[in-house]
Amino acid sequence: MLKLTSMTWREFIAVFQGTAISIYIMIIFVSIFLSYWISSESIKQNNIIEAMKD
């Protein structure tokens, strides 16, 4: 893409929003971790068949 737009790496890095992308990636990882953790805690507390019904 940089060759097609004749943009240099220095110009690209100046407008690249790495911190915002990093924050969104961390939010996604945390939400996935929490969903797995909550479901595993639910299965540990209940019978597996009852937990799957819920």
Side-chain angles (χ1 to χ4, degrees):
M1 287 300 290
L2 291 177
K3 289 180 183 179
L4 292 175
T5 59
S6 69
M7 180 183 268
T8 64
W9 277 101
R10 189 170 291 163
E11 293 170 346
F12 174 72
I13 295 299
V15 296
F16 182 69
Q17 298 178 355
T19 55
I21 293 173
S22 299
I23 290 170
Y24 287 126
I25 289 172
M26 290 302 293
I27 289 171
I28 290 170
F29 280 133
V30 167
S31 64
I32 291 171
F33 172 77
L34 286 175
S35 66
Y36 275 107
W37 183 69
I38 290 170
S39 65
S40 69
E41 289 295 319
S42 172
I43 290 174
K44 286 179 188 177
Q45 291 176 358
N46 297 331
N47 187 1
I48 292 176
I49 295 172
E50 293 296 323
M52 290 179 74
K53 285 181 184 177
D54 291 339

